[in-house]
Amino acid sequence: MPVESVYPRLEPLLPHVSKPVQYVGGEPNATVKDWDETTVRWCLMYPDAYEVGLPNQGVMILYEILNEQPGVLAERTYAVWPDMEELMRRHGVPQFTVDAHRPVAAFDVLGVSFATELGYTNLLTALDLAGVPLRSRERTDEHPVVLAGGHAAFNPEPVADFVDAVVLGDGERAVLEITELVRRFKAEGRPGGRERLLRRLAEHGVYVPGFHEVTYRPDGHIERVRPTREGVPHRVFKRTTTDLDEWPYPKQPLVPVAESVHERMSVEIFRGCTRGCRFCQAGMITRPVRERSKRGVEDMVRRGLEATGFEEVGLLSLSSADHSEIGEITKGLADRYEGTNTGLSLPSTRVDAFNVDLANELARNGRRSGLTFAPEGGSERIRRVINKTVSERDLIRTVSTAYASGWRQVKLYFMCGLPTETDEDVLRIATMAKEVVRAGRSASGRRDIRCTVSIGGFVPKPHTPFQWAAQADPDTVDARMRALREEIGSDRELGRRIGVRYHDGKPSLIEGLLSRGDRRVGRVIERVWREGGRFDGWNEYFSYERWVRAAAEVLPPLGVDMDWFTTRERTRDEVLPWDHLDSGLDREWLWNDWQDALQAREQEDCRWTPCFDCGVCPTTGTDIEMGPSGRPLLPITPVRDGSPVPNTAFDTPSGDR
């Protein structure tokens, strides 16, 4: 039977909230389907504000793939601001989709994409507004299956009580498989109810936290994680989309009706990264590299511009200048759109992959927006620790090229609180920034050169070599930042040309709690939410004191505390909360890379050198794919310490350790 729109109840509230246009929908290229002509209905959520969530490529891709399927409907919902939440509660308006304003609780699946852990409280708000019980075990057959995905879902244990199921890795094929399972389940009359549907999902490689039991030792460590149902695997593996040219999405990108964080049409030119930056979870969990062909990129740009009218094209990846055909791609696009208002940008560019030819192609239409490079660490030593193989000489040469080519401003991104970091490592950032300004003046012959230094607090992430590292406490990080500001300002003439942007270390510590937490942290999340926690990724709403207070009240009776999950270094044999969730990376390889980090030893990029046996390619059945033919470069003989070795990854399920 049809599901009615809540818009008649929502519309009177719109004049009383900020940015009401974000709730009305109607975006160009949005899809609204007849409810009764579909059998499987998805609600896709990005748990943040519309302006952040709408440009998200992951949600946009799945939205389009699902709506292309006959008999399948997909709509979107985003977190509502506190002013709207208050009015919705007062007037009985449930969480709704922006496409047809249908109540979220009416859908079969609520798919939530977690790009960051700081969106967890927003999920609880959406569930509560929708009338869906917060805890999975309290839901009935009438409630949607709450399915999590995204990078933060590679350790979903802190929200294990709140989600029903989790997809690890790429979602293109996964959502189609899940759709078919739900279709069959409903066609058969829902035999066995919600429990049986979740069993089917688990049997098809979807992680169902409720089907895994975690036991703890008296000292607070995890004893083991084991399945509680027959047929449910000990270990859950990530999914990997191999040929990106087979998935040219989004074909019809959504165009926001309200201001958003990215006003551009974006094309993902490759997925994955093999640079091996030890701090970078995205680079680790998305291995191997899979390039989209030059022809595939050009076709997507053409269709996307025709469908949207955007005037900027972002060529996306974790390190876009590393695409093996980036020169040909940028030249071809610059040739095609020369004389138009269409600009090109590489939002992610490595210092050692940028060159004058690439710079000139990006700026062919006369645009010279700021350039951002990420040395990440101030000293050569700390860059060896994090495996960011960029020298200060590389940086100066690159920014000189940029300034000589017409750019006037360069932004440098660093992290503070890295493993083994000292005060001197951070103060070297000041030296580097001053050298950049000097080099810019020399290369351009101008004095109006600016350099912006942006610094974030380091958060150790699961499935990286730093998953065992102790996180720096906020006081240490903030003290180093004060010293850095003083060092930059010590040269008044150069210091006034250097901007410093830094947010205090407190939000990073909470992100660390959520990033490496286990199921016990879920109680902290719920306590924070009940005390008003919302939009923790936004400075104006984040409360460090609320999180610290909740952790202090909830965790000690469970035998742990905030420091247990954040500033404590892990041991080699400790069972980590995510050990049963397989990103393809060999745990022993990660540990060895952690030991190399402590000795400041660098690791080569396996894209151009022999394989170092991280485990991903053989475990996930994939290869590095690059070049116009998509020719696989692997498998090749793995090399460790100069000798070929067999691949022995994943012989032992983590739950049996």
Side-chain angles (χ1 to χ4, degrees):
M1 58 186 301
V3 172
E4 293 185 1
S5 168
V6 305
Y7 196 74
R9 286 183 284 160
L10 175 68
E11 187 176 23
L13 309 182
L14 296 179
H16 305 288
V17 299
S18 61
K19 301 180 182 179
V21 68
Q22 66 187 306
Y23 304 117
V24 301
E27 301 94 346
N29 301 323
T31 302
V32 176
K33 286 189 172 183
D34 187 294
W35 186 270
D36 289 335
E37 291 184 0
T38 59
T39 56
V40 180
R41 294 118 182 178
W42 285 73
C43 177
L44 300 176
M45 180 181 190
Y46 191 90
D48 208 323
Y50 174 96
E51 62 197 79
V52 177
L54 184 131
N56 180 262
Q57 287 284 289
V59 172
M60 205 180 297
I61 288 169
L62 300 184
Y63 175 78
E64 190 168 324
I65 288 173
L66 288 166
N67 278 317
E68 281 188 349
Q69 311 306 310
V72 180
L73 173 154
E75 298 187 12
R76 297 160 292 128
T77 192
Y78 305 101
V80 298
W81 288 112
D83 60 349
M84 175 60 89
E85 179 191 347
E86 192 274 328
L87 288 174
M88 289 168 64
R89 292 188 185 281
R90 189 192 312 170
H91 294 276
V93 177
Q95 182 79 22
F96 56 87
T97 62
V98 297
D99 297 283
H101 299 94
R102 289 162 173 149
V104 167
F107 289 77
D108 297 308
V109 183
L110 171 59
V112 187
S113 179
F114 286 117
T116 171
E117 298 85 358
L118 294 176
Y120 289 160
T121 53
N122 286 347
L123 169 63
L124 300 193
T125 302
L127 291 173
D128 193 53
L129 285 172
V132 176
L134 295 187
R135 296 182 176 275
S136 173
R137 64 174 179 266
E138 297 171 1
R139 294 172 195 149
T140 69
D141 294 352
E142 302 305 314
H143 295 120
V145 170
V146 181
L147 177 73
H151 287 184
F154 273 80
N155 176 27
E157 295 303 282
V159 290
D161 289 338
F162 311 126
V163 300
D164 298 308
V166 182
V167 170
L168 302 181
D170 298 333
E172 288 93 340
R173 293 189 187 277
V175 294
L176 297 182
E177 293 174 11
I178 293 169
T179 295
E180 188 56 33
L181 287 172
V182 173
R183 192 200 310 272
R184 292 178 186 173
F185 174 72
K186 294 177 71 174
E188 293 167 3
R190 304 175 186 263
R194 187 182 194 85
E195 164 86 6
R196 183 56 192 150
L197 176 58
L198 293 176
R199 284 284 292 270
R200 292 188 184 186
L201 292 173
E203 291 164 1
H204 283 79
V206 176
Y207 176 49
V208 178
F211 292 169
H212 286 73
E213 178 185 59
V214 182
T215 55
Y216 303 93
R217 297 175 180 174
D219 62 3
H221 288 85
I222 294 174
E223 175 69 35
R224 65 183 299 174
V225 180
R226 67 179 185 88
T228 58
R229 308 289 197 282
E230 187 177 349
V232 173
H234 280 266
R235 203 170 183 84
V236 179
F237 293 84
K238 79 167 183 180
R239 295 161 180 266
T240 302
T241 299
T242 51
D243 189 346
L244 294 189
D245 282 340
E246 291 183 356
W247 301 89
Y249 295 92
K251 301 173 184 175
Q252 302 279 315
L254 294 167
V255 180
V257 293
E259 183 180 359
S260 66
V261 294
H262 298 305
E263 299 285 349
R264 66 184 179 217
M265 196 279 290
S266 299
V267 172
E268 184 183 31
I269 63 174
F270 71 86
R271 193 173 295 181
C273 185
T274 51
R275 286 282 189 168
C277 299
R278 293 173 173 129
F279 59 85
C280 183
Q281 184 190 49
M284 292 289 173
I285 63 177
T286 60
R287 291 183 174 196
V289 166
R290 290 142 289 150
E291 290 187 351
R292 201 181 299 277
S293 70
K294 176 176 177 289
R295 175 68 178 273
V297 172
E298 291 171 345
D299 287 347
M300 287 188 67
V301 169
R302 175 182 53 78
R303 285 197 306 265
L305 290 176
E306 291 172 355
T308 63
F310 280 124
E311 294 184 347
E312 181 181 347
V313 177
L315 303 178
L316 303 187
S317 76
L318 292 175
S319 183
S320 295
D322 279 346
H323 193 292
S324 62
E325 297 180 293
I326 191 62
E328 294 91 332
I329 289 172
T330 54
K331 183 179 187 306
L333 292 174
D335 286 345
R336 179 167 190 153
Y337 297 103
E338 188 170 14
T340 71
N341 292 323
T342 303
L344 301 176
S345 66
L346 298 185
S348 178
T349 308
R350 283 184 61 98
V351 167
D352 51 353
F354 191 82
N355 58 65
V356 67
D357 293 332
L358 183 58
N360 289 336
E361 296 298 352
L362 292 173
R364 176 111 60 97
N365 68 352
R367 297 188 184 186
R368 288 285 197 290
S369 58
L371 291 172
T372 300
F373 300 107
E376 308 290 1
S379 70
E380 298 277 0
R381 186 198 70 82
I382 200 68
R383 288 195 294 275
R384 290 196 301 272
V385 169
I386 65 178
N387 207 45
K388 190 77 175 186
T389 53
V390 174
S391 69
E392 190 164 331
R393 182 180 300 176
D394 290 333
L395 176 66
I396 298 304
R397 182 172 57 247
T398 296
V399 297
S400 296
T401 297
Y403 285 126
S405 299
W407 273 272
R408 294 289 170 264
Q409 182 161 322
V410 166
K411 181 177 179 180
L412 303 178
Y413 183 80
F414 298 89
M415 288 184 290
C416 186
L418 291 161
T420 79
E421 181 183 274
T422 65
D423 293 351
E424 181 59 29
D425 292 321
V426 176
L427 294 179
R428 285 291 301 174
I429 295 173
T431 304
M432 183 181 291
K434 292 173 185 177
E435 286 301 314
V436 164
V437 173
R438 292 190 185 100
R441 288 176 171 178
S442 175
S444 67
R446 300 173 61 111
R447 305 285 293 177
D448 61 337
I449 295 300
R450 286 195 58 80
C451 173
T452 299
V453 173
S454 180
I455 307 175
F458 167 66
V459 179
K461 293 287 186 174
H463 305 282
T464 72
F466 289 162
Q467 64 184 1
W468 290 279
Q471 184 173 358
D473 65 87
D475 290 342
T476 298
V477 173
D478 292 345
R480 287 174 178 164
M481 290 313 306
R482 288 192 295 270
L484 175 62
R485 287 181 181 275
E486 292 175 2
E487 182 67 19
I488 289 175
S490 64
D491 186 324
R492 295 186 61 185
E493 202 281 322
L494 288 175
R496 65 189 182 90
R497 309 304 303 175
I498 301 170
V500 181
R501 297 178 182 174
Y502 170 72
H503 299 292
D504 68 59
K506 293 176 180 177
S508 296
L509 192 75
I510 303 308
E511 185 180 344
L513 169 70
L514 301 176
S515 170
R516 293 192 292 173
D518 57 34
R519 296 187 181 188
R520 292 170 288 192
V521 172
R523 303 188 192 187
V524 181
I525 296 170
E526 184 172 350
R527 175 69 65 88
V528 166
W529 175 77
R530 292 193 182 281
E531 293 182 358
R534 308 288 191 274
F535 288 94
D536 291 294
W538 296 72
N539 290 336
E540 57 265 46
Y541 293 108
F542 174 77
S543 169
Y544 180 70
E545 292 72 22
R546 182 163 49 213
W547 280 97
V548 170
R549 183 174 62 250
E553 293 171 356
V554 169
L555 294 178
L558 303 175
V560 290
D561 58 17
M562 176 86 80
D563 291 340
W564 173 270
F565 294 108
T566 55
T567 58
R568 176 181 67 91
E569 184 171 327
R570 278 65 167 168
T571 62
R572 179 175 188 167
D573 296 328
E574 180 175 340
V575 177
L576 303 175
W578 52 89
D579 272 345
H580 59 298
L581 305 175
D582 201 318
S583 63
L585 294 158
D586 179 14
R587 194 179 196 271
E588 189 68 15
W589 179 84
L590 287 172
W591 175 263
N592 289 337
D593 207 35
W594 168 229
Q595 300 310 298
D596 284 344
L598 294 175
Q599 299 300 318
R601 289 196 294 261
E602 294 174 326
Q603 176 80 278
E604 295 290 336
D605 182 348
C606 72
R607 197 174 180 187
W608 318 111
T609 60
C611 171
F612 289 96
D613 196 24
C614 74
V616 169
C617 291
T619 302
T620 58
T622 52
D623 297 309
I624 292 176
E625 299 277 353
M626 57 187 291
S629 64
R631 177 176 58 87
L633 300 187
L634 293 176
I636 57 179
T637 304
V639 173
R640 183 176 289 160
D641 298 328
S643 303
V645 297
N647 188 294
T648 57
F650 313 110
D651 288 340
T652 306
S654 62
D656 292 338
R657 286 195 183 100

